[in-house]
Amino acid sequence: MSLHAQRRGAPSQPLILNAFSMNSVGHINHGLWTHPRDTSAQYNTLAYWQDLARELERGLFDGLFLADIVGVYDTYQQSAEVTLRESIQLPINDPTLVVPAMAAVTQHLGFGVTVNLSYEQPYLLARRFSTLDHLTQGRIGWNVVTGYLDSAARAMGQVQQLAHDARYDRADEFMEVVYKLWEGSWQEGAVVRDRQARVFARPDLVRPVRHHGQYFQVEGYHLSEPSVQRTPILFQAGSSGRGLRFAARHAECVFMSVQDKAATAALVRELRQEVVRAGRRPEDVKVLVGLTPVVAATERQAQEKYQEYCRYASAEAGLAHIAATAGVDFAQFQRDTPLLAQHKSNGIENSIKRLANGRENYTLGDLLDELALGGRYETVVGSPAQIVDAMQSWVDEAGVDGFNIARTVVPESYTDFIDLVVPELQNRGLHKTAYAQGSLRHKLFGQGDYLQRPHVAARCRCSQPLSAEAAAAA
Ligand SMILES: Cc1cc2nc3c(=O)[nH]c(=O)nc-3n(C[C@H](O)[C@H](O)[C@H](O)COP(=O)(O)O)c2cc1C
């Protein structure tokens, strides 16, 4: 029986629940920063992030998933004008830097932070994540992305990005290097902190990494001592064929963005097949989808709230965002222009196909109508029971393991979710009633703090001490 079929017939088990946000004013549902109760313009203060983290922990969220973007959305009207006016993920601050502030006021909440590795060096990024894992005591995750904006490449001194699949080839090698650093440089027991013997770390248990590959040359010790999880829990969000192969090799949680449950189910099946091909078990990877709930005590009140939110939303900003992800300037089209005939770009493969979702005559007008709330993650409007019914149907029909809950009006959309939806989820056995102990990885998978074999990272862990000669030579 497939895992999906097993899940369908299985008794309820807790879902993975992340809040989905970004270190910026606008994220997915654009325009809502103009709502009088929205506080997202305070994204550049510690209080904003600390209040959010406390609130999410009150709702027993597994984590806060922070998206990020390097580069700007300048495809629409071939300029950044709408992006700047509407604050479409610009300005944007570094997502890793707000994590320690949130960790300081919480005990259990995890943090999935997006870092685009195309403009990073593995040696330094490995240290940054180790530092975050230390400071959060094992609550850090990395959403590994390769980027899709030429504006980022130009800002980093390149003419354009690497081609789509080459970005993933470089990313594969990047991961190999960071695994060697996190898992292979400092052996278990290397840090003894023995004041009497004047030994902080045993030289025979620490070794430099030597990597000579196509994209990276690295010789050196990992700068950080081993942290709780060593390798942060790995998220990934690419969905092309090459992206799925990358996810199957590395990811522990995959974030998908497909509107339709049947299409998601097919993608989940494809991913799990790739996971098996990569020598792992299908259940080694959890799948998350984005969802935008608008909830109130009754369906009628929820509809009123939705209508009120829509008055502040910006469909044009949503379109400018999608234009950059798809690599197509939608401003050149009329409402009745069919979108499927547009050229394949070097951005996110298949994105227009995903928008069309099987509709041959899908037009720009259709897309604009779907952007009523400024964004395109499935919007569910209703009472707590209706929201949970919708979530349950994603689990049953698409075989997903959890959700990234997108924000609308901040923080009230999270507060509403926690006050109204969380109790309903708990009543149905779909949400925990207390946090488990341990690292983020242990909380999500229940198999300890470290990545386990057959994951490729676990194979980089070393167990043999260096010989005296090798230690001296190192
Ligand atoms: C649901 C979802 C979320 C994503 N979030 C980010 C993000 O925060 N930052 C980013 O640079 N790319 C993000 N991406 C882009 C992917 O990581 C990837 O670079 C892009 O989808 C191109 O790869 P693909 O053709 O394999 O899909 C996201 C993609 C999806 C589907």
Side-chain angles (χ1 to χ4, degrees), residues 20-22 27-28 65-70 73 89 114-116 143-149 161 164-165 167-168 236-244 254-258 288-290 325 346-351 354 377 404:
F20 190 30
S21 192
M22 204 162 187
H27 176 208
I28 294 288
F65 189 105
L66 289 173
D68 188 40
I69 195 73
V70 180
Y73 298 137
Q89 304 186 354
T114 302
V115 176
N116 177 349
N143 178 31
V144 184
V145 302
T146 51
Y148 52 86
L149 295 176
Q161 309 172 80
H164 180 272
D165 287 7
R167 296 203 288 274
Y168 281 114
Q236 209 271 338
S239 52
S240 60
R242 183 64 182 92
L244 279 189
V254 170
F255 182 22
M256 287 182 179
S257 168
V258 188
L288 308 171
V289 285
T325 14
N346 193 23
I348 296 186
E349 235 182 65
N350 296 329
S351 46
R354 275 210 304 268
Y377 285 96
N404 278 353

Side-chain angles (χ1 to χ4, degrees), residues 19-33:
F20 190 30
S21 192
M22 204 162 187
N23 196 352
S24 56
V25 180
H27 176 208
I28 294 288
N29 291 291
H30 294 291
L32 289 165
W33 67 276

Side-chain angles (χ1 to χ4, degrees), residues 103 133 143 169 196 198 224 246 262 297-298 300 319 326 361 363 469:
D133 202 40
N143 178 31
D169 295 342
Q196 240 106 55
R198 296 198 65 88
S224 303
F246 181 82
T298 65
R300 188 156 154 230
L319 192 64
N361 296 324
T363 63
E469 306 81 69

